[in-house]
Amino acid sequence: MVTKETAAYRQTPLEIAFFPCLSDNYGFLIHDPKTGRTTTIDTPDGKEIAQQAKQRGWTLTEIWNTHHHFDHVGGNEALVESLGVEVVGHGLDKKRIPKLTREVHGGDIFKFGAHDVHVITTNGHTLGHIIYYIPSAKAAFVGDTLFVMGCGRLFEGSPAQMYESLSKICALPDDTKLYCAHEYTLSNGRFAVTVEPENTDLKAYIQEAQALRERNHPTIPTTPAREKAINPFVRAESAERLGEIRAAKDVF
Ligand code: ZN
Ligand code: FE
């Protein structure tokens, strides 16, 4: 039974903020005004993340890591030491994510205040890469799995694993906001047109992205709807084809 009180509780929306970190990463903060909990997705720059939280009057309570690369966990230790925050990450990465305190696995759903957070495994860039999907916010934090017109390099996983991971992300509702961890859009676009020179949606979007970047605006979040129209990795008809495109991008 949904009482008046629980309905109102559910309706308090999460606040999401993002900002550039390091050379081309993004930092993300999610704040639940109801409980005061605030999380950062990954820790590209601990100092910047702490500062961004502080200037909004938010107290960082946790870190949700997507994978173990240094530009995603580099600020973990400093933030744990200074603020005593909890660190959530994939169980498989417990030796690779500094200060991990809470292991999660694909398929887990945990609570952030009244909001459900779905943990989805997206192997490919690394093994044990996870994304965080929050249906109530229509938002997913996709780390280095999907980028605008691109996907993460296959450091640990196979083309088949990345194919499955991109399929999972693009199976989310079409208007889900996909928060990618890097601003790689323009360089991805330069490659994407070599794969799909006839794609008019792709060409139109690249113009849009160029205009945004000229004003130093971010090109994220993207959506499954957009990526299904313009992302050559998402549009690859098979895992094998995705592997070919990825190999071509690696030497582009
Ligand atoms: Zn990475
Ligand atoms: Fe990265």
Side-chain angles (χ1 to χ4, degrees), residues 170-205:
C170 288
L172 298 175
D174 266 342
D175 59 347
T176 307
K177 291 182 275 303
L178 304 175
Y179 290 93
C180 319
H182 291 268
E183 181 59 60
Y184 287 159
T185 301
L186 293 188
S187 66
N188 284 344
R190 285 191 286 275
F191 173 74
V193 288
T194 69
V195 182
E196 291 198 42
E198 312 286 306
N199 186 333
T200 50
D201 289 335
L202 173 60
K203 281 188 262 189
Y205 176 73

Side-chain angles (χ1 to χ4, degrees), residues 67-72 125-126 129 144 147 155 182:
H67 67 295
H68 69 89
H69 286 158
F70 187 73
D71 62 312
H72 297 262
H125 179 64
T126 64
H129 191 297
D144 284 358
F147 300 115
F155 286 114
H182 291 268

